[in-house]
RNA sequence: GCCGAUGUAGCUCAGCCGGUAGAGCAACUGAUUCGUAAUCAGUAGGUCCGCGGUUCGAAUCCGCGCAUCGGCUCCA
């Protein structure tokens, strides 16, 4: 009896049961077969060679789609696992999924894999690919699969099967040649369909991502349908290395990290400190404009306060402590405590709310050595932190205003971002009702502004749920910067109150929020975003003055003076070097403007700006140049 | 914190099987006074990450520690 198959374009064909999807697709559109790696049968991804059993819809998955790419990479990971087991005796396989930029497979092996091993594995993979072995799917009973892997000593697979929900009666196995893996699939039809791949590096990874478990060896690789796409991806990796803020930070003389000073501590050089000052000045201005008050708190506060706040019980491992005259003091990892003390300094009326306390607050957090990374992850950093105390009724407007603030800031710096809502973690304080209220408030504000978001279960702060803004840089990498946290717990613990219109005392709600997050991290992201070529308004040096010969120095000094007086950040290179040499150095430093001063300029009382893109502006007076710079700085260019 | 790799001049890197350290760029000095990405010549520069061990002798081999890099866990 024939069955009816519907394709995405609406066309229907009649097929005999047992016909493969491949054949059906071939009859529908012969051209599609070559680029198809699998298909969705009634919306469920399955192998291209799967026989049809009943009527339904088929949607081919192209190797050029995101889903197809993921299937390809997953298949490559199986081939890699086979190659590894071929080459090395006693390797156990764990898991090997496709990931955003490629794939990995985790192995348990007594020896360690070296970069040379990766080459050997790649060669063996090419042999397997040349064999063009089909990926064969087999559905077996759960117990049979367990026996199968137990006999082969594949204890990780046995554990995976044991942990399946009880109602799962059977699992699927995929084999290519002699290698069989527990796998949901689908896979590409055969090992001949592998596109272009490359193994990249080997790293440690805990079994099931739990640090209490055994550490396995993870081999990372990437794969693409074509060699060209692989080459382009490798070029992007190279580009990322070229933009690395640690490298540019040294080359542009922005900051250093110093072994003698200690890990995770940044020393800002004049240009880095200037860049930071520009950003911080912008922050102060923006916050005052938006109704925040600037405050400043101490770096250390008595231990009892940290006990009261819950930090001592829930955040102690991340804190540093010191002792003064037998009194325990905690070095602040967050800025909220002092802000609450400011709130408590007098009786507050509902008419005073909301209050918004802003501080460029420098905090210290103990980070494990292995996580430190340039400016992105450090032990001392400064947050553009604020705490807003408001009535429950004001909560929505305040959260919305912060989200708008984030949107405005990200626009100025040229970033896209994604939003996540993180809910209550296991280790936390406060009542269930308060957590529910806080989470709802955050969600409603996002929904009210039609901001799309994803839920990140159990990832909130210990005192409240949070909205995280993950900023995306030009290379598509994501960074956590802005965050809004809704907190009913700390106002309770510190007994913060306001007098309501009814004359009674009420509890305010506290919002913790940062816009750029850590200034250090944000600068790191900015360096990579702009590849060190900062826009004019941020550039520590906006204009570099270059003399052609020594006789132009007096006029050069005059110009330099005028620029400084006008607030233009200028530097001089009046050395006795050829112009081309000075320009090369200025260009390497990515200076927005180089102002050339020679006979023509001295005579006409002008300067000739050379832009970073290599083009010259027409000669103009210093005054006109200053106006030009000011206009562009005002537009945040 | 865990797994792995790495650590030589300011930077990038070479240095074989253990025999006492080298290049390019940068720096400094001199000459050159020059118009849009590198003028020429010379000089100087090293705790070979640190400590200990093996050895007649260690940058090189071994151990411990520190730091960095790539990941994992964690996170702004």
């Amino acid at each position: 009896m024939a069955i009816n198959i519907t394709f995405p374009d609406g066309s229907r064909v009649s097929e005999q049961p047992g016909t493969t999807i491949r054949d059906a697709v071939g009859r529908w559109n012969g051209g599609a077969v070559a680029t198809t790696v699998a298909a969705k049968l009634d919306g469920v991804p399955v192998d291209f060679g799967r026989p049809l059993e009943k009527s339904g819809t088929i949607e081919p998955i192209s190797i050029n789609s995101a889903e197809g790419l993921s299937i390809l990479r997953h298949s490559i990971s199986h081939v890699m696992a086979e190659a590894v087991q071929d080459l090395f005796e006693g390797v156990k396989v764990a898991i090997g999924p496709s990931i955003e930029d490629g794939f990995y497979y985790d192995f348990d092996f007594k020896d360690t894999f070296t970069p040379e091993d990766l080459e050997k594995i790649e060669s063996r993979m090419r042999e397997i690919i040349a064999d063009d072995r089909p990926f064969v799917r087999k559905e077996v009973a759960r117990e049979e699969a367990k026996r199968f892997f137990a006999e082969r000593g594949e204890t990780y697979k046995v554990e995976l099967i044991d942990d399946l929900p009880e109602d799962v009666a059977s699992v699927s196995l995929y084999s290519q040649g002699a290698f069989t893996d527990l796998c949901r699939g689908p896979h590409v039809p055969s090992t001949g369909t592998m596109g272009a791949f490359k193994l990249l590096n080997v790293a440690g990874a805990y079994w099931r991502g739990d640090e209490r478990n055994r550490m396995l060896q993870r081999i990372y690789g990437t794969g693409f349908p074509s060699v060209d796409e692989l080459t382009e991806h490798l070029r992007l990796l190279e580009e990322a290395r070229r933009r690395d803020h640690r490298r540019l930070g040294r080359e542009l003389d922005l900051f250093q990290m110093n072994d003698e000073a200690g890990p995770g501590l940044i020393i800002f050089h004049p240009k880095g400190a200037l860049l930071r000052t520009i950003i911080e000045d912008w922050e102060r201005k923006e916050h005052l404009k938006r109704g925040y008050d600037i405050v400043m708190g101490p770096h250390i506060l008595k231990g009892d306060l940290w006990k009261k706040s819950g930090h001592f019980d829930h955040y102690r491992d991340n804190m540093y402590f010191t002792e003064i005259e037998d009194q325990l003091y905690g070095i602040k990892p967050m800025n909220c405590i002092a802000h609450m003390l400011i709130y408590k300094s007098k009786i507050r009326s509902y008419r005073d709310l909301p209050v918004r306390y802003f501080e460029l607050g420098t905090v210290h957090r103990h980070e494990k050595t292995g996580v430190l990374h340039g400016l992105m992850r450090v032990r001392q950093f400064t947050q553009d932190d604020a705490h807003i105390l408001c009535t429950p009724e004001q909560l929505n407007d305040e959260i919305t205003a912060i989200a708008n603030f984030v949107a405005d800031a990200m626009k100025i710096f040229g970033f896209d971002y994604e939003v996540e809502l993180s809910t209550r973690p296991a280790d936390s304080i406060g009542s269930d009702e308060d957590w529910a209220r806080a989470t709802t408030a955050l969600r409603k504000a996002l929904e009210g502004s039609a901001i799309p978001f994803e839920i990140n279960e159990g990832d909130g702060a210990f005192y409240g749920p949070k909205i995280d803004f993950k900023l995306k840089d030009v290379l598509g990498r994501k960074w956590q910067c802005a965050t809004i946290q809704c907190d009913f717990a700390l106002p309770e613990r510190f007994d913060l109150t306001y007098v309501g219109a009814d004359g009674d005392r009420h509890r305010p709600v506290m919002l913790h929020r940062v816009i750029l997050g850590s200034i250090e991290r944000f600068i790191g992201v900015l360096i990579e975003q702009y590849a060190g070529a900062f826009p004019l308004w941020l550039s520590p040096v906006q204009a570099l003055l270059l003399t052609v010969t020594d006789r132009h120095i007096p006029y050069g000094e005059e110009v330099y003076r005028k620029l400084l007086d006008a607030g233009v950040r200028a530097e001089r290179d009046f050395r006795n070097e050829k112009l081309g040499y000075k320009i090369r150095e200025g260009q390497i430093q990515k200076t927005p403007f180089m102002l050339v001063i020679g006979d023509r300029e001295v005579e006409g009382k002008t300067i000739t700006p050379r832009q970073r893109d290599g083009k010259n502006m027409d000669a103009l007076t210093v005054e006109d140049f200053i106006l030009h710079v000011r206009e562009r700085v005002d537009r945040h260019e």
Side-chain angles (χ1 to χ4, degrees):
Chain A
M1 195 183 127
I3 54 177
N4 293 312
I5 301 300
T6 311
F7 288 98
D9 62 357
S11 61
R12 290 160 161 269
V13 293
S14 183
E15 295 284 356
Q16 291 303 313
T19 306
T20 65
I21 294 177
R22 180 202 311 274
D23 290 340
V25 168
R27 270 188 282 282
W28 164 61
N29 178 354
V33 174
T35 57
T36 301
V37 288
K40 283 191 197 168
L41 181 59
D42 292 332
V44 180
V46 297
D47 296 312
F48 205 25
R50 170 82 68 100
L52 292 164
E53 288 162 12
K54 55 184 175 58
S55 297
T57 63
I58 290 180
E59 189 188 331
I61 299 175
S62 163
I63 195 168
N64 296 314
S65 68
E67 251 180 318
L69 184 60
S70 159
I71 290 168
L72 170 72
R73 288 168 170 172
H74 183 196
S75 300
I76 299 172
S77 85
H78 275 226
V79 171
M80 178 172 81
E82 175 176 4
V84 168
Q85 287 203 321
D86 277 358
L87 292 170
F88 303 93
E89 194 66 29
V91 176
K92 289 193 217 176
V93 294
I95 53 164
S98 78
I99 51 173
E100 188 158 348
D101 286 320
F103 61 87
Y104 67 78
Y105 213 115
D106 285 347
F107 302 100
D108 188 354
F109 183 43
K110 60 180 184 358
D111 298 331
T112 55
F113 298 121
T114 65
E116 295 75 56
D117 289 339
L118 293 191
E119 284 170 32
K120 276 185 229 155
I121 296 165
E122 278 189 4
S123 316
R124 181 72 192 120
M125 287 170 71
R126 285 195 200 91
E127 290 169 21
I128 295 167
I129 289 164
D131 279 355
D132 195 15
R133 303 175 196 164
F135 278 90
V136 179
R137 182 178 198 277
K138 196 170 146 197
E139 187 90 12
V140 301
R142 177 182 184 136
E143 284 310 309
E144 188 188 337
K146 189 173 161 181
R147 243 189 340 267
F148 177 85
F149 287 112
E151 279 165 13
R152 284 160 181 74
E154 295 289 5
T155 51
Y156 295 97
K157 297 295 177 189
V158 171
E159 190 179 327
L160 288 174
I161 294 170
D162 279 342
D163 284 2
L164 288 170
E166 274 184 26
D167 58 349
V168 175
S170 68
V171 297
S172 56
L173 305 182
Y174 275 81
S175 307
Q176 78 266 14
F179 178 80
T180 299
D181 201 350
L182 174 72
C183 183
R184 189 181 296 128
H187 276 285
V188 298
S190 75
T191 62
T193 322
M194 281 292 125
F197 71 91
K198 184 168 175 58
L199 303 187
L200 296 172
N201 54 344
V202 48
Y206 299 109
W207 165 237
R208 302 197 135 181
D210 190 326
E211 63 183 325
R212 288 164 302 190
N213 286 341
R214 186 174 166 77
M215 172 123 344
L216 308 173
Q217 294 185 69
R218 174 171 297 179
I219 299 180
Y220 282 94
T222 191
F224 290 89
S226 70
V227 175
D228 284 354
E229 287 160 285
L230 175 64
T231 308
E232 171 61 14
H233 178 74
L234 297 176
R235 195 193 64 75
L236 270 181
L237 289 182
E238 186 52 46
E239 171 71 10
R241 270 190 287 278
R242 202 178 63 77
R243 286 172 179 249
D244 191 313
H245 73 281
R246 294 166 297 191
R247 174 199 175 108
L248 285 167
R250 187 178 55 236
E251 288 174 2
L252 303 180
D253 200 12
L254 299 174
F255 59 86
Q256 68 170 302
M257 277 156 293
N258 188 305
D259 286 2
E260 287 180 286
L265 302 170
I266 307 299
I267 298 175
F268 283 93
H269 291 197
K271 282 179 190 155
L274 184 49
L275 171 63
R276 181 172 161 170
T277 303
I278 294 159
I279 294 169
E280 291 178 349
D281 286 349
W282 173 82
E283 289 255 31
R284 291 191 189 94
K285 215 176 65 199
E286 284 299 312
H287 279 83
L288 290 175
K289 226 160 73 183
R290 292 166 194 265
Y292 287 81
D293 297 315
I294 295 176
V295 299
M296 295 176 188
H299 283 213
I300 58 175
L301 298 94
K302 278 188 187 169
D304 283 350
L305 271 182
W306 298 111
K307 284 173 187 162
K308 192 170 178 181
S309 69
H311 284 84
F312 197 79
D313 286 337
H314 300 274
Y315 206 74
R316 184 176 16 177
D317 290 348
N318 286 296
M319 288 181 66
Y320 299 110
F321 292 93
T322 186
E323 227 171 69
I324 300 173
E325 290 170 354
D326 294 332
Q327 279 268 7
L328 179 68
Y329 279 77
I331 300 169
K332 68 173 173 177
M334 299 184 191
N335 301 300
C336 37
I337 307 297
H339 295 189
M340 284 192 288
L341 297 182
I342 297 169
Y343 182 89
K344 262 179 94 87
S345 65
K346 57 183 172 188
I347 293 176
R348 304 286 172 174
S349 148
Y350 71 99
R351 295 174 195 278
D352 299 330
L353 302 186
V355 293
R356 309 186 187 93
Y357 296 133
F358 170 69
E359 175 171 8
L360 283 161
T362 300
V363 296
H364 292 76
R365 295 185 187 174
H366 179 67
E367 299 290 348
K368 295 175 180 176
T369 50
V371 308
L372 301 175
H373 177 89
L375 295 181
M376 307 303 197
R377 198 72 186 274
V378 293
R379 289 191 175 140
Q380 176 189 306
F381 58 100
T382 299
Q383 296 179 302
D384 59 339
D385 203 2
H387 293 90
I388 296 169
L389 290 138
C390 63
T391 68
E393 295 72 37
Q394 292 167 332
L395 205 46
N396 196 289
D397 285 352
E398 289 303 312
I399 297 168
T400 305
I402 298 165
N404 289 337
F405 194 169
V406 172
D408 291 349
M410 291 304 111
K411 196 169 168 211
I412 284 174
F413 290 100
F415 292 109
D416 246 351
Y417 57 89
E418 289 170 1
V419 179
E420 283 176 11
L421 177 62
S422 297
T423 59
R424 182 167 195 169
D427 184 12
S428 53
I429 58 174
S431 69
D432 286 344
E433 300 81 69
D434 282 348
W435 274 87
R437 280 163 71 201
T439 310
T440 305
L442 292 174
R443 177 185 285 117
K444 285 213 168 133
L446 288 175
E447 286 167 356
S449 301
I451 297 169
F453 64 94
E454 288 188 7
I455 302 278
N456 200 350
E457 217 60 69
D459 211 33
F462 75 80
Y463 45 76
K466 57 180 183 167
I467 298 172
D468 284 330
F469 297 78
K470 307 262 177 182
L471 158 176
K472 283 195 287 189
D473 70 16
V474 279
L475 297 180
R477 293 168 304 182
K478 291 180 198 167
W479 302 100
Q480 159 84 74
C481 290
T483 175
I484 308 174
Q485 302 168 352
C486 187
D487 180 4
F488 287 89
L490 289 179
E492 176 84 31
R493 289 195 169 215
F494 280 78
D495 193 26
L496 304 187
T497 59
Y498 64 90
V499 179
D502 55 8
D504 289 341
R505 285 183 174 244
H506 299 273
R507 188 76 71 206
V509 189
M510 181 156 75
L511 291 171
H512 309 238
R513 49 104 283 185
V514 292
I515 303 297
L516 307 184
S518 145
I519 303 293
E520 282 79 356
R521 173 179 292 182
F522 192 74
I523 287 175
V525 174
L526 277 184
I527 292 170
E528 304 204 355
Q529 170 82 351
Y530 299 128
F534 299 107
L536 187 64
W537 79 283
L538 289 174
S539 195
V541 179
Q542 296 172 310
L544 177 63
L545 275 63
L546 306 179
T547 45
V548 177
T549 76
D550 287 353
R551 68 175 173 277
H552 306 121
I553 291 177
Y555 178 64
E557 292 289 358
E558 191 185 322
V559 172
Y560 177 62
R561 197 65 252 162
K562 283 185 182 171
L563 291 175
L564 288 194
D565 285 346
V568 175
R569 300 186 290 271
E571 279 198 351
R572 295 163 291 183
D573 185 351
F574 292 172
R575 289 175 302 171
N576 173 20
E577 292 287 352
K578 291 174 80 168
L579 184 62
Y581 181 84
K582 298 190 199 182
I583 285 178
R584 177 183 152 78
E585 288 198 347
Q587 200 67 38
I588 288 169
Q589 290 296 308
K590 302 172 197 280
T591 316
F593 286 111
M594 282 179 257
L595 308 181
V596 176
I597 295 164
D599 287 340
R600 292 202 291 271
E601 287 75 17
V602 172
E603 205 168 302
K605 287 284 170 198
T606 59
I607 47 176
T608 305
R610 179 192 203 272
Q611 297 171 337
R612 190 156 50 195
D613 62 9
K615 291 181 190 132
N616 269 356
M617 288 170 65
D618 292 334
L620 74 177
T621 64
V622 186
E623 288 71 23
D624 284 345
F625 176 73
I626 289 166
L627 288 177
H628 176 81
V629 169
R630 280 188 183 153
E631 272 173 32
R632 289 185 48 190
V633 166
D634 285 346
R635 290 197 300 265
H636 298 298
E637 286 181 10

